[in-house]
Amino acid sequence: MRGSCHGDLERGLDLETVGDRSEGLRFEGLDDRGLGTSGPSFASVAVERVTVETAGEGSGGVVLSGIVPSDNSPTPASVDQLDVTTSGTSSPGLVLGSQTSRDRFGDNDNGSLTISATNVDVETNGSGSAGVIVNGIGEGSTDADSLTFLDGFRVTTNGDNSTGLFLNTGTNVDSGSVADTVVGDTIVNTTGDKSNGIVLGPNLGIVDAGSGRESDLTIGTDVFATTTGANSVALVIFRNTQLNVGGSVANPNIQSLDNFNATGTGSRSVQNSGAIDGGATGIVLGAGVRGNISNGGTITSSGPNAVTYDVAAASDDLFELQTGGVVNGNVLAGNGTDTFVLGGLGSDSFDYTLLGTQYQSFETFLKEDSGTWTLTGPDSAAAILPISVRGGTLVVDPVLSGFDVDVLAGATLAGAGGVRNANIAGIFTPGGLGNAANFSVANDLTFQPASIFTRIIHQACGLVGFCWWRGREHCCPSFW
């Protein structure tokens, strides 16, 4: 049903579609006059006791898009007792609002909008098929308030690249506007690869006193997300989103991170690109909860410890520092075999002396992803935790004669420093990328079959080197 629902109430429907681009139920482009600028008026939009099943590519279940209150008027939109199943690719289960400015919820000024969705069961079974997408107040709206309330959700996605719940309610909150997002009694499960559980979009949890812009976020203790596919994240925090965790921080919007679990290869329970404030205690995981946090944003504590895993347990914890990530405070791992990872894209530097001081009780050191990390710190002969370089480039500039490096296929070791032992199955480029310098290996330098050794012969000429021609130095032609 596209463009044929003018508001009021849709109740007791049982809808099934078979075929591509065949949505189950859609409200589109509605304001308080109905479709566009004409049509019947309504005071609310409600969908109750509706079952929808679609089987086809691009066939979403239920879409409520562009419900816009007029200036100075309130409009409630509600969903209750909704059961949605989709089986095609690119077929989301439930979409509230749109990602285009034309038909987001609440485009006008001075109005108010309440979106209430309760008792919702969603299952999607195709790749690229998100479970639930919630978009927020309209672009350019000023002095417009909105409340998004989600409760009683059970969401399962079984395809690759299929997020369970995406909250995008903070994107367009403008001056003088207040947007509240409340999530309770929600369980999200994703089984596909690269399928995140709950994604907190940009600009959530922020208060800008200067403009009067506020985007509040509350996540209840009964909200859970589990991912089992590879390279998936149970809780994703976008840049410019603020998450206050625990009872020791003012105005917490989530009590703990215990309810987010990722079990697939290369997956993370929490991936932060925004800002997390843990107050005086920092982030503290509960008993038996495996630590598995990736930070490319900022994690802050007013006390000594920013992150504390279950230090008494023998679980194998992991903490990943991505390029651009900042941690203000210590990270304490537990009693198992715990892994510290340098990851992310782009480039950054890391002082190796922080292992054992700021980052405590880690037994394994990894470099992952395609970015470049440069190790810094004083030259040292002391034993240092060995590293396995699994992706991207590790640049070692100090001489660390107690440091062992294992470089896997496709990864690169560079720099102007030194190590104790180097096992190369990838690329070894002494001096660094584009630099001519020496690199020392105190004991064993081992090259595996198919490994690559590159050497800058001359600073200006690179690998082709330089030649003398008629009494002057020139870069050699590449065919020499």
Side-chain angles (χ1 to χ4, degrees):
M1 301 175 69
R2 175 186 286 271
S4 60
C5 299
H6 299 280
D8 298 322
L9 180 66
E10 299 297 329
R11 173 182 290 168
L13 298 179
D14 191 347
L15 305 174
E16 181 176 356
T17 69
V18 178
D20 296 342
R21 293 170 294 281
S22 300
E23 292 172 330
L25 178 65
R26 171 180 281 264
F27 291 79
E28 185 177 44
L30 303 179
D31 60 17
D32 70 346
R33 296 170 301 278
L35 286 173
T37 59
S38 62
S41 63
F42 63 90
S44 64
V45 177
V47 177
E48 297 180 5
R49 298 199 306 274
V50 172
T51 299
V52 175
E53 184 173 350
T54 69
E57 180 180 346
S59 300
V62 175
V63 180
L64 275 70
S65 174
I67 300 171
V68 181
S70 289
D71 293 352
N72 303 301
S73 69
T75 297
S78 66
V79 175
D80 185 48
Q81 300 181 59
L82 177 65
D83 192 338
V84 179
T85 303
T86 71
S87 298
T89 61
S90 303
S91 300
L94 172 63
V95 180
L96 301 175
S98 169
Q99 294 187 10
T100 65
S101 61
R102 177 182 64 82
D103 54 0
R104 283 184 186 271
F105 279 127
D107 276 344
N108 292 341
D109 298 342
N110 304 309
S112 64
L113 178 69
T114 299
I115 307 167
S116 174
T118 55
N119 304 310
V120 175
D121 289 341
V122 172
E123 179 179 338
T124 67
N125 297 293
S127 64
S129 298
V132 178
I133 301 172
V134 184
N135 291 297
I137 201 164
E139 186 176 31
S141 300
T142 57
D143 299 316
D145 297 338
S146 68
L147 168 63
T148 303
F149 177 74
L150 310 180
D151 188 73
F153 274 59
R154 301 295 182 265
V155 181
T156 300
T157 68
N158 295 313
D160 295 342
N161 301 294
S162 299
T163 293
L165 171 61
F166 179 36
L167 296 176
N168 192 32
T169 53
T171 299
N172 288 318
V173 180
D174 212 332
S175 60
S177 298
V178 178
D180 291 324
T181 303
V182 180
V183 183
D185 187 18
T186 292
I187 299 175
V188 176
N189 292 287
T190 71
T191 64
D193 296 343
K194 299 181 180 179
S195 295
N196 301 325
I198 297 176
V199 177
L200 305 181
N203 301 319
L204 289 171
I206 61 172
V207 177
D208 186 348
S211 67
R213 180 173 63 121
E214 186 172 337
S215 178
D216 297 321
L217 173 68
T218 303
I219 299 176
T221 57
D222 50 0
V223 175
F224 299 82
T226 300
T227 67
T228 58
N231 302 309
S232 303
V233 181
L235 177 65
V236 176
I237 305 163
F238 264 51
R239 294 192 182 278
N240 301 319
T241 282
Q242 173 74 45
L243 201 63
N244 299 328
V245 180
S248 68
V249 65
N251 303 314
N253 41 29
I254 188 171
Q255 287 300 315
S256 79
L257 301 180
D258 290 358
N259 295 348
F260 306 99
N261 185 33
T263 61
T265 302
S267 296
R268 303 287 184 258
S269 295
V270 178
Q271 179 177 303
N272 174 48
S273 297
I276 299 178
D277 187 348
T281 63
I283 299 170
V284 180
L285 297 190
V289 178
R290 175 178 178 259
N292 185 15
I293 295 175
S294 174
N295 179 50
T298 301
I299 298 177
T300 298
S301 170
S302 59
N305 300 322
V307 179
T308 302
Y309 291 158
D310 183 4
V311 296
S315 59
D316 297 334
D317 299 320
L318 180 146
F319 186 86
E320 178 182 13
L321 183 65
Q322 293 195 329
T323 49
V326 176
V327 179
N328 296 314
N330 300 321
V331 177
L332 309 181
N335 287 329
T337 302
D338 305 312
T339 301
F340 180 80
V341 179
L342 296 175
L345 311 177
S347 60
D348 208 337
S349 61
F350 179 76
D351 184 345
Y352 73 88
T353 63
L354 296 178
L355 281 174
T357 54
Q358 181 180 9
Y359 302 95
Q360 301 178 21
S361 300
F362 289 94
E363 290 78 33
T364 303
F365 189 14
L366 301 179
K367 161 68 182 77
E368 294 186 341
D369 300 329
S370 61
T372 297
W373 276 94
T374 299
L375 287 188
T376 63
D379 290 354
S380 174
I384 299 169
L385 193 65
I387 191 169
S388 176
V389 185
R390 298 183 174 183
T393 300
L394 178 71
V395 179
V396 180
D397 280 338
V399 175
L400 306 176
S401 55
F403 189 42
D404 295 339
V405 180
D406 184 27
V407 182
L408 276 63
T412 299
L413 172 65
V419 298
R420 179 172 60 186
N421 299 298
N423 179 56
I424 310 296
I427 302 170
F428 180 36
T429 174
L433 304 177
N435 299 313
N438 293 323
F439 190 99
S440 64
V441 178
N443 292 347
D444 295 330
L445 173 60
T446 304
F447 288 95
Q448 301 297 334
S451 59
I452 298 173
F453 175 82
T454 65
R455 177 78 165 108
I456 301 300
I457 301 173
H458 187 268
Q459 184 70 42
C461 300
L463 292 176
V464 299
F466 67 94
C467 301
W468 284 92
W469 175 253
R470 294 184 177 179
R472 297 182 62 185
E473 181 181 299
H474 302 271
C475 292
C476 297
S478 59
F479 54 83
W480 282 23

